[in-house]
Amino acid sequence: MISAIVHSISKGFELVCADIAADKSISHRCAMFAVLAQGESKIENFLRAEDTLNTLKIVGHLGAEITDDGETITIRSRGIQETSEILDCGNSGTGMRLFCGLLSSAQGHFILTGDEYLKRRPMKRVTQPLRSIGAQLDGRQNGDLAPLSIRGASLRAFDYTSSVASAQVKSAMILAALRSDGVCTFREPELSRDHTERMLRGMGAHLEINGLETKIWPIKKPLSPLSIRVPADSSSAFFFAVAAAIVPGSSVLVEGVTLNPTRIEAFKVLERMGAKITYKLTDEKYEPIGSIRVEYAPLHAVLVEENIAWLIDELPALSIAMACANGKSIIKNAEELRVKESDRIRTVVDNLNLCGIETEEYQDGYEVTGGQLKTAYINSHGDHRVAMSFLIAGLRCGMEIEDIECINTSFPNFFEILSRITKVDI
Ligand code: S3P
């Protein structure tokens, strides 16, 4: 296992960053949705990280022709073909859950697997509703745990209300609906990120969205190909937003980032905590795209209990800002954190305690009392966002983080950017 030592900094920094890694959610979808199109999908700035490269490789195993000139990835679909390969999603829940939706209606038999962490994550949230419309999916614990096997089948139209606000569940069901036998309705308890709806509509699919309800019409012919430059990932950018927010005298400007409202809620919370944040819209294609500037200001405690699906991935990093804020911050309604790449309630709370920060754990969240962060030896538990969050905390006090390879799943140039503001030993 590789570890990294990050050194504290004694004065503020100014960072202008146009090379935050590309958006992971959108990159996964680009590769998968290209399979539903006729013609060549052209994808610039595809995220070249482990999770999304695994998805791209799977799309290749399923028969798509993929060429890559180093800048643009071109995908030409030849429908979905049965393969002798085991489809390895690596660490990615998004990969596995969306492929369940895509492959449930394909002709043939498919096996999806993943790494030791993914094989522990719940899949019933997609396998159960997919089975209820005719999909033939199975796995350990009655279809809850990977490896999963899928035999493509005819899918019935559905009217499904999900108990969890999850873009992965919604996307899997939308993909199934596109190849079902009638108009489908999907409802969720809170709006989750909406890249699938935006991108599929952009490709010509018929989806009607009414608040928390989405109606999906089956496709009669292949969709139009994608032509997209993937924006920077706002969740990755957020690590550097927190860096600027906790080091007096600092500012960061991230450019070319998605400003999709279902993705920038954590920036809004940081703003509520006192940081100075401005947003500038520069482009609109599939998604609103622009820049975000974050400037240091003393932080105060905050209560986070709404729009959780819009900031679930940023909560570990936000917890570092809470540890540096004045007062007791509270996160509630975030039980989903328990089934992410690690149990993030446990891993964040345990690691904050090691850093001398007072916390209290709830089943659906935690409290963080701001204080003096102390240098500690942190275990990432194989979770990329936990690793990056505590590396950012190290800007205040120095930190050693064990098991940092996981950062390659989403943000391969994280250390390169971090070393523009401090010294890092790996
Ligand atoms: C994702 C949705 C979110 C998020 C994950 C990516 C997606 O998960 O946490 O990192 O691309 O659809 P859920 O939809 O399960 O909450």
Side-chain angles (χ1 to χ4, degrees), residues 161-176:
T161 302
S162 172
S163 59
V164 29
S166 159
Q168 296 176 356
V169 174
K170 177 172 60 177
S171 302
M173 293 307 285
I174 291 176
L175 289 170

PDB file of all heavy atoms in Angstrom, residues 161-176:
ATOM      1  N   THR A 161     -41.801   3.535  -7.956  1.00  0.00           N
ATOM      2  CA  THR A 161     -41.421   4.592  -7.022  1.00  0.00           C
ATOM      3  C   THR A 161     -40.244   4.091  -6.194  1.00  0.00           C
ATOM      4  O   THR A 161     -40.372   3.099  -5.474  1.00  0.00           O
ATOM      5  CB  THR A 161     -42.608   4.954  -6.101  1.00  0.00           C
ATOM      6  OG1 THR A 161     -43.693   5.362  -6.943  1.00  0.00           O
ATOM      7  CG2 THR A 161     -42.260   6.089  -5.146  1.00  0.00           C
ATOM      8  N   SER A 162     -39.122   4.742  -6.332  1.00  0.00           N
ATOM      9  CA  SER A 162     -37.920   4.317  -5.623  1.00  0.00           C
ATOM     10  C   SER A 162     -37.949   4.878  -4.204  1.00  0.00           C
ATOM     11  O   SER A 162     -38.363   6.014  -3.990  1.00  0.00           O
ATOM     12  CB  SER A 162     -36.689   4.839  -6.369  1.00  0.00           C
ATOM     13  OG  SER A 162     -35.528   4.595  -5.619  1.00  0.00           O
ATOM     14  N   SER A 163     -37.462   4.083  -3.236  1.00  0.00           N
ATOM     15  CA  SER A 163     -37.445   4.597  -1.855  1.00  0.00           C
ATOM     16  C   SER A 163     -36.160   5.374  -1.604  1.00  0.00           C
ATOM     17  O   SER A 163     -36.008   6.021  -0.586  1.00  0.00           O
ATOM     18  CB  SER A 163     -37.576   3.440  -0.869  1.00  0.00           C
ATOM     19  OG  SER A 163     -36.506   2.554  -1.080  1.00  0.00           O
ATOM     20  N   VAL A 164     -35.202   5.293  -2.533  1.00  0.00           N
ATOM     21  CA  VAL A 164     -33.940   5.997  -2.333  1.00  0.00           C
ATOM     22  C   VAL A 164     -33.717   7.008  -3.456  1.00  0.00           C
ATOM     23  O   VAL A 164     -34.042   6.749  -4.612  1.00  0.00           O
ATOM     24  CB  VAL A 164     -32.761   4.995  -2.165  1.00  0.00           C
ATOM     25  CG1 VAL A 164     -32.980   3.721  -2.874  1.00  0.00           C
ATOM     26  CG2 VAL A 164     -31.417   5.551  -2.575  1.00  0.00           C
ATOM     27  N   ALA A 165     -33.208   8.197  -3.071  1.00  0.00           N
ATOM     28  CA  ALA A 165     -32.895   9.217  -4.082  1.00  0.00           C
ATOM     29  C   ALA A 165     -31.520   8.889  -4.631  1.00  0.00           C
ATOM     30  O   ALA A 165     -30.509   9.294  -4.073  1.00  0.00           O
ATOM     31  CB  ALA A 165     -32.897  10.606  -3.452  1.00  0.00           C
ATOM     32  N   SER A 166     -31.497   8.119  -5.699  1.00  0.00           N
ATOM     33  CA  SER A 166     -30.222   7.660  -6.248  1.00  0.00           C
ATOM     34  C   SER A 166     -30.226   7.799  -7.761  1.00  0.00           C
ATOM     35  O   SER A 166     -31.071   7.222  -8.447  1.00  0.00           O
ATOM     36  CB  SER A 166     -30.003   6.192  -5.860  1.00  0.00           C
ATOM     37  OG  SER A 166     -29.070   5.596  -6.726  1.00  0.00           O
ATOM     38  N   ALA A 167     -29.252   8.542  -8.273  1.00  0.00           N
ATOM     39  CA  ALA A 167     -29.150   8.708  -9.723  1.00  0.00           C
ATOM     40  C   ALA A 167     -28.781   7.388 -10.382  1.00  0.00           C
ATOM     41  O   ALA A 167     -29.097   7.152 -11.548  1.00  0.00           O
ATOM     42  CB  ALA A 167     -28.104   9.755 -10.051  1.00  0.00           C
ATOM     43  N   GLN A 168     -28.108   6.534  -9.625  1.00  0.00           N
ATOM     44  CA  GLN A 168     -27.724   5.249 -10.203  1.00  0.00           C
ATOM     45  C   GLN A 168     -28.960   4.372 -10.409  1.00  0.00           C
ATOM     46  O   GLN A 168     -29.113   3.747 -11.456  1.00  0.00           O
ATOM     47  CB  GLN A 168     -26.707   4.558  -9.291  1.00  0.00           C
ATOM     48  CG  GLN A 168     -25.418   5.357  -9.199  1.00  0.00           C
ATOM     49  CD  GLN A 168     -24.408   4.768  -8.240  1.00  0.00           C
ATOM     50  OE1 GLN A 168     -24.686   3.780  -7.555  1.00  0.00           O
ATOM     51  NE2 GLN A 168     -23.235   5.360  -8.173  1.00  0.00           N
ATOM     52  N   VAL A 169     -29.851   4.355  -9.413  1.00  0.00           N
ATOM     53  CA  VAL A 169     -31.082   3.571  -9.553  1.00  0.00           C
ATOM     54  C   VAL A 169     -31.938   4.168 -10.669  1.00  0.00           C
ATOM     55  O   VAL A 169     -32.429   3.462 -11.565  1.00  0.00           O
ATOM     56  CB  VAL A 169     -31.870   3.552  -8.217  1.00  0.00           C
ATOM     57  CG1 VAL A 169     -33.220   2.878  -8.398  1.00  0.00           C
ATOM     58  CG2 VAL A 169     -31.049   2.862  -7.127  1.00  0.00           C
ATOM     59  N   LYS A 170     -32.086   5.491 -10.624  1.00  0.00           N
ATOM     60  CA  LYS A 170     -32.908   6.162 -11.655  1.00  0.00           C
ATOM     61  C   LYS A 170     -32.355   5.876 -13.052  1.00  0.00           C
ATOM     62  O   LYS A 170     -33.098   5.531 -13.972  1.00  0.00           O
ATOM     63  CB  LYS A 170     -32.917   7.677 -11.374  1.00  0.00           C
ATOM     64  CG  LYS A 170     -33.672   8.501 -12.398  1.00  0.00           C
ATOM     65  CD  LYS A 170     -33.830   9.963 -11.971  1.00  0.00           C
ATOM     66  CE  LYS A 170     -32.539  10.699 -11.755  1.00  0.00           C
ATOM     67  NZ  LYS A 170     -32.733  12.124 -11.423  1.00  0.00           N
ATOM     68  N   SER A 171     -31.040   5.963 -13.194  1.00  0.00           N
ATOM     69  CA  SER A 171     -30.440   5.773 -14.515  1.00  0.00           C
ATOM     70  C   SER A 171     -30.596   4.336 -14.993  1.00  0.00           C
ATOM     71  O   SER A 171     -30.878   4.092 -16.170  1.00  0.00           O
ATOM     72  CB  SER A 171     -28.954   6.131 -14.468  1.00  0.00           C
ATOM     73  OG  SER A 171     -28.799   7.461 -14.044  1.00  0.00           O
ATOM     74  N   ALA A 172     -30.414   3.378 -14.073  1.00  0.00           N
ATOM     75  CA  ALA A 172     -30.575   1.965 -14.464  1.00  0.00           C
ATOM     76  C   ALA A 172     -31.996   1.737 -14.964  1.00  0.00           C
ATOM     77  O   ALA A 172     -32.217   1.067 -15.985  1.00  0.00           O
ATOM     78  CB  ALA A 172     -30.275   1.059 -13.272  1.00  0.00           C
ATOM     79  N   MET A 173     -32.968   2.324 -14.262  1.00  0.00           N
ATOM     80  CA  MET A 173     -34.368   2.110 -14.652  1.00  0.00           C
ATOM     81  C   MET A 173     -34.700   2.848 -15.953  1.00  0.00           C
ATOM     82  O   MET A 173     -35.485   2.359 -16.767  1.00  0.00           O
ATOM     83  CB  MET A 173     -35.310   2.545 -13.515  1.00  0.00           C
ATOM     84  CG  MET A 173     -35.206   1.680 -12.267  1.00  0.00           C
ATOM     85  SD  MET A 173     -35.391  -0.091 -12.571  1.00  0.00           S
ATOM     86  CE  MET A 173     -37.164  -0.239 -12.856  1.00  0.00           C
ATOM     87  N   ILE A 174     -34.111   4.012 -16.148  1.00  0.00           N
ATOM     88  CA  ILE A 174     -34.356   4.737 -17.407  1.00  0.00           C
ATOM     89  C   ILE A 174     -33.779   3.930 -18.581  1.00  0.00           C
ATOM     90  O   ILE A 174     -34.414   3.778 -19.632  1.00  0.00           O
ATOM     91  CB  ILE A 174     -33.759   6.164 -17.352  1.00  0.00           C
ATOM     92  CG1 ILE A 174     -34.545   7.032 -16.368  1.00  0.00           C
ATOM     93  CG2 ILE A 174     -33.745   6.802 -18.743  1.00  0.00           C
ATOM     94  CD1 ILE A 174     -33.993   8.445 -16.149  1.00  0.00           C
ATOM     95  N   LEU A 175     -32.582   3.376 -18.385  1.00  0.00           N
ATOM     96  CA  LEU A 175     -31.981   2.585 -19.466  1.00  0.00           C
ATOM     97  C   LEU A 175     -32.843   1.365 -19.773  1.00  0.00           C
ATOM     98  O   LEU A 175     -33.022   0.994 -20.943  1.00  0.00           O
ATOM     99  CB  LEU A 175     -30.559   2.154 -19.083  1.00  0.00           C
ATOM    100  CG  LEU A 175     -29.543   3.305 -19.071  1.00  0.00           C
ATOM    101  CD1 LEU A 175     -28.227   2.870 -18.443  1.00  0.00           C
ATOM    102  CD2 LEU A 175     -29.319   3.849 -20.481  1.00  0.00           C
ATOM    103  N   ALA A 176     -33.399   0.747 -18.734  1.00  0.00           N
ATOM    104  CA  ALA A 176     -34.290  -0.400 -18.949  1.00  0.00           C
ATOM    105  C   ALA A 176     -35.551   0.056 -19.682  1.00  0.00           C
ATOM    106  O   ALA A 176     -36.017  -0.595 -20.625  1.00  0.00           O
ATOM    107  CB  ALA A 176     -34.645  -1.039 -17.613  1.00  0.00           C
TER     108      ALA A 176
END
